[in-house]
């Protein structure tokens, strides 16, 4: 059976139109490619198998010798012949090459590159409207080139959980000289004023969008940048796809949060969402609020949050600025996922918390201030000086100080003990000095309240010393009894 498949794979193909990757429009599915080209991360790194489409043409195979010819340039032929030449150039671009070997099939690679450059220029110039059959063929060619199995992630090859992706050299796609032009062609097609969405949506359909989203896991940052721009434009132009795109991104986040904690494109997807959230109409739909609670806030949970925290924080702030009532939900969400042992992550959370509090109004602040300042008290006493220092910097923000001053009778009793412990025993001088300043600020706000908290703290300290003395005395009695019994 294995030999049978091998022989079939090496079978000489007949020299028909299908040798150029062309199948008559009536025999093709709209812009789709074989399932073997779908990006499936469960089989990441599996070999790309050349498969036949419905017309029998091999997709993605190396062309037989002599099948590539230098076609005339689009601008050099009469207008009546341009659509046919556009089609032939699209067919040539369906072939793929081993780009890791720079000395192999140099002529054919250059012919394909020149063809792609011409296609991009033709679509960008808008000099002629592309026929529907040519649009279909072009999208099919784009699919053949970009939808592929991604290589295994470099961080997966080592088996180590402690690698920092920020310090690793990113994997760069060898086929990028061709891929970049294919992505540029897709981008120009999507943004072109000549592109009719009613026609284009037949080829840029849900299946196409899902495969496009799967490519966001590419390690090549250049590819992810193109994908980000293209998906954003697709979202803007194809209104019919908007709910589907949001749901698909939602599913990627779920898989990342609760299953893998590994994905290269979370930051780029969040950048797209930042623009989408900015355009949400008010009052905000319940669907969008659920998206915040179920997908965006839980993104604080994974370990590699530092890679995408800036974009995540922007999305969170966008929600709060759109609907101030969500501030309580967001702050409680931060407290739910607050790190316990990761100090660098705590510093990120504190920075984000300050931005959220900047946009928080008094009523929402009062709903969450008790659990919030219990956590802030713990951060004040952190032995990691950056955590304690970043917490004390909250008092440099005028809006936050204003909220604290309005609710000082609740907040000061919660954090007074933490302030006193810092002054008495924190090892870092900068933290000690900042704590003295904050303590002085509370004293100036309300002398009577401060003295009451000081009195209660002294009483608690006295009771604690008394309990400790009784405990010591009990142990001494036990030691004495044990000595007598011995």
């Amino acid at each position: 059976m294995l030999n049978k498949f091998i022989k079939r794979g090496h079978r000489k193909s007949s020299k028909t139109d299908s040798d150029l990757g062309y199948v008559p429009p009536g025999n093709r599915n709209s812009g789709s490619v074989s399932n073997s080209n779908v990006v499936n991360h469960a089989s990441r790194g599996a070999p790309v198998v050349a498969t036949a489409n419905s017309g029998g043409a091999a997709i993605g195979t190396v062309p037989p010798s002599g099948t590539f010819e230098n076609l005339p340039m689009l601008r050099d032929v009469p207008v009546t012949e341009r659509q046919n030449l556009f089609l032939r150039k699209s067919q040539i671009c369906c072939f793929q090459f081993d780009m890791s070997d720079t000395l192999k099939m140099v002529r054919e690679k250059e012919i394909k590159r020149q063809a792609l450059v011409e296609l991009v220029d033709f679509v960008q110039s808008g000099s002629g409207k592309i026929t529907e059959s040519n649009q279909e063929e072009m999208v099919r060619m784009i699919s053949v080139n970009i939808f592929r199995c991604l290589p295994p992630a470099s961080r997966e090859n080592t088996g180590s959980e402690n690698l920092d992706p920020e310090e690793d050299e990113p994997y760069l796609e060898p086929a990028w000289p061709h891929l970049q032009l294919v992505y540029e062609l897709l981008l120009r097609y999507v943004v072109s004023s000549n592109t009719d969405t009613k026609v284009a949506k037949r080829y840029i359909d849900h299946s196409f969008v899902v495969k496009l989203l799967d490519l966001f896991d590419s390690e090549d940052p250049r590819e992810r940048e193109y994908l980000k721009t293209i998906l954003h434009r697709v979202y803007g132009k194809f209104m019919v796809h908007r709910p589907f795109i949001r749901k698909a991104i939602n599913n990627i986040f779920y898989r990342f949060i609760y299953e893998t904690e590994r994905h290269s494109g979370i930051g780029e997807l969040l950048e797209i969402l930042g623009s989408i959230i900015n355009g949400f109409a008010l009052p905000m739909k319940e669907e969008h609020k659920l998206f915040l609670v179920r997908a965006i806030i839980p993104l604080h949970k994974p370990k590699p949050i530092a890679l995408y925290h800036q974009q995540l924080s922007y999305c969170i702030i966008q929600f709060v600025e759109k609907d101030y009532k969500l501030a309580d939900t967001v702050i409680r969400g931060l407290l739910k996922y607050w790190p316990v042992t990761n100090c660098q992550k705590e510093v990120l959370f504190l920075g984000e918390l300050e931005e959220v509090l900047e946009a928080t109004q008094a009523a929402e602040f009062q709903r969450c201030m008790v659990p919030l300042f219990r956590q802030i008290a713990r951060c004040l006493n952190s032995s990691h000086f950056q955590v304690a220092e970043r917490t004390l910097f909250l008092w440099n923000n005028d809006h936050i100080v204003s909220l604290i001053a309005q609710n000082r009778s609740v907040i000061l009793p919660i954090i007074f003990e933490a302030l006193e412990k810092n002054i008495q025993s924190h090892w870092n001088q900068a933290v000690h000095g900042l704590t003295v300043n904050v303590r002085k600020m509370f004293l100036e706000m309300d002398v009577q309240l401060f003295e009451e908290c000081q009195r209660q703290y002294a009483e608690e300290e006295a009771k604690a010393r008394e309990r400790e003395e009784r405990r010591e005395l009990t142990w001494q009695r036990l030691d004495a009894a044990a000595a007598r019994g011995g």
Side-chain angles (χ1 to χ4, degrees):
M1 179 63 74
L2 179 61
N3 290 332
K4 187 177 178 181
F5 278 112
I6 293 171
K7 287 176 183 176
R8 187 178 299 171
H10 291 104
R11 185 176 56 197
K12 186 177 180 181
S13 52
S14 60
K15 293 188 178 181
T16 63
D17 283 339
S18 63
D19 285 335
L20 292 176
Y22 172 68
V23 181
N27 294 335
R28 293 195 299 268
N29 294 326
S30 299
S32 64
V33 295
S34 168
N35 286 339
S36 67
N37 287 325
V38 174
V39 180
N40 184 348
H41 303 305
S43 60
R44 192 166 184 166
V48 179
V49 181
T51 58
N53 62 13
S54 55
I59 295 176
T61 55
V62 175
S65 178
T67 57
F68 260 47
E69 57 176 317
N70 271 316
L71 297 172
M73 298 184 73
L74 283 164
R75 67 169 179 264
D76 293 340
V77 299
V79 175
T80 54
E81 296 179 20
R82 283 181 185 171
Q83 293 298 328
N84 185 47
L85 184 58
F86 186 96
L87 178 64
R88 292 175 67 192
K89 286 181 181 286
S90 295
Q91 293 163 10
I92 282 178
C93 294
C94 284
F95 285 115
Q96 296 175 7
F97 304 92
D98 178 10
M99 301 297 285
S100 59
D101 187 347
T102 56
L103 302 177
K104 190 177 179 182
M105 303 192 78
V106 177
R107 173 181 167 275
E108 288 81 358
K109 290 174 184 176
E110 180 59 21
I111 290 174
K112 177 177 177 179
R113 192 191 69 80
Q114 289 289 351
L116 286 168
V117 169
E118 280 198 73
L119 293 177
V120 171
D121 289 343
F122 185 81
V123 173
Q124 186 173 5
S125 66
S127 55
K129 193 170 183 180
I130 309 170
T131 63
E132 289 187 26
S133 59
N134 277 3
Q135 288 183 54
E136 181 180 2
E137 182 65 27
M138 180 182 68
V139 174
R140 190 183 75 89
M141 178 271 289
I142 290 169
S143 300
V144 167
N145 279 276
I146 66 174
F147 298 144
R148 66 206 189 280
C149 286
L150 297 173
S154 57
R155 59 184 179 276
E156 293 172 7
N157 291 340
T158 61
S160 173
E161 294 291 328
N162 299 319
L163 290 176
D164 184 359
E166 281 189 322
E167 296 179 2
D168 293 341
E169 284 293 324
Y171 168 81
L172 298 179
E173 176 60 55
W176 186 245
H178 286 175
L179 267 180
Q180 179 182 14
L181 291 168
V182 176
Y183 276 122
E184 187 67 26
L185 176 61
L186 176 57
L187 177 60
R188 295 303 159 197
Y189 174 64
V190 171
V191 303
S192 173
S193 57
N194 288 334
T195 301
D196 185 352
T197 54
K198 292 180 181 177
V199 174
K201 72 180 181 182
R202 298 177 199 163
Y203 319 122
I204 300 180
D205 54 9
H206 285 182
S207 173
F208 187 94
V209 169
V210 166
K211 293 171 190 174
L212 204 65
L213 280 164
D214 281 337
L215 288 171
F216 273 85
D217 202 16
S218 168
E219 282 197 79
D220 193 326
R222 302 168 301 180
E223 183 169 17
R224 295 200 306 272
E225 192 65 26
Y226 258 106
L227 287 164
K228 178 184 72 176
T229 306
I230 290 167
L231 186 66
H232 192 195
R233 295 291 189 168
V234 168
Y235 187 91
K237 188 153 191 167
F238 297 85
M239 293 187 70
V240 67
H241 290 338
R242 289 182 181 183
F244 179 80
I245 290 173
R246 291 197 300 269
K247 185 177 180 182
I249 292 176
N250 205 15
N251 292 336
I252 291 173
F253 287 167
Y254 285 159
R255 197 180 310 123
F256 171 68
I257 295 163
Y258 299 111
E259 293 180 15
T260 64
E261 287 200 358
R262 287 176 174 176
H263 197 286
S264 300
I266 298 298
E268 286 79 7
L269 290 171
L270 285 168
E271 279 190 58
I272 296 169
L273 283 174
S275 298
I276 292 173
I277 295 162
N278 195 30
F280 283 166
L282 294 175
M284 196 175 289
K285 293 179 182 178
E286 196 62 30
E287 167 202 348
H288 301 327
K289 294 179 183 178
L290 286 174
F291 181 61
L292 168 68
V293 173
R294 294 178 179 176
I296 300 295
I297 291 176
L299 280 171
H300 291 87
K301 175 179 175 283
K303 292 177 184 176
I305 185 176
L307 297 177
Y308 57 82
H309 182 262
Q310 184 178 353
Q311 296 92 330
L312 174 61
S313 180
Y314 178 77
C315 289
I316 291 286
I317 300 305
Q318 287 291 306
F319 268 107
V320 177
E321 289 180 348
K322 276 280 178 182
D323 186 351
Y324 66 89
K325 293 180 181 177
L326 292 172
D328 174 50
T329 303
V330 166
I331 290 171
R332 289 181 184 274
L334 281 172
L335 295 176
K336 178 180 179 181
Y337 295 107
W338 201 276
V340 177
T341 58
N342 189 332
C343 295
Q344 294 304 321
K345 197 172 173 182
E346 263 193 292
V347 172
L348 293 176
F349 272 52
L350 287 162
E352 183 178 349
L353 176 63
E354 180 174 357
E355 290 190 65
V356 173
L357 288 173
E358 274 267 22
T360 303
Q361 298 188 13
E364 281 61 48
F365 180 78
Q366 288 170 359
R367 291 194 187 100
C368 61
M369 63 183 177
V370 173
L372 171 61
F373 276 87
R374 283 175 181 158
Q375 180 59 56
I376 286 176
R378 287 191 285 271
C379 292
L380 285 169
N381 287 148
S382 173
S383 57
H384 195 292
F385 80 95
Q386 288 180 332
V387 175
E389 187 177 56
R390 188 64 188 83
T391 308
L392 289 160
F393 284 159
L394 293 174
W395 273 267
N396 290 340
N397 188 299
D398 292 339
H399 180 69
I400 296 174
V401 170
S402 172
L403 292 172
I404 291 171
Q406 293 170 33
N407 301 278
R408 58 186 180 274
S409 59
V410 176
I411 293 170
L412 184 56
I414 295 172
I415 66 168
F416 190 87
E417 182 180 353
L419 293 172
E420 291 298 309
K421 284 183 178 178
N422 268 8
I423 290 171
Q424 291 170 14
S425 59
H426 202 283
W427 64 272
N428 185 272
Q429 286 300 313
V431 170
H432 184 274
L434 288 167
T435 305
V436 169
N437 292 339
V438 170
R439 186 177 182 274
K440 183 181 177 183
M441 196 180 294
F442 276 112
L443 178 61
E444 291 171 354
M445 279 183 197
D446 193 328
V447 176
Q448 188 176 350
L449 174 64
F450 187 89
E451 290 175 349
E452 176 62 23
C453 289
Q454 201 169 31
R455 184 186 62 77
Q456 289 179 0
Y457 175 72
E459 288 179 1
E460 289 296 321
E461 284 291 293
K463 289 177 183 177
R465 283 195 297 271
E466 189 179 333
R467 285 194 299 271
E468 182 64 22
E469 288 171 1
R470 285 202 301 268
R471 191 176 71 85
E472 286 292 332
L473 185 60
T474 302
W475 277 110
Q476 289 172 8
R477 288 172 181 169
L478 284 171
D479 284 344
R484 285 196 302 273

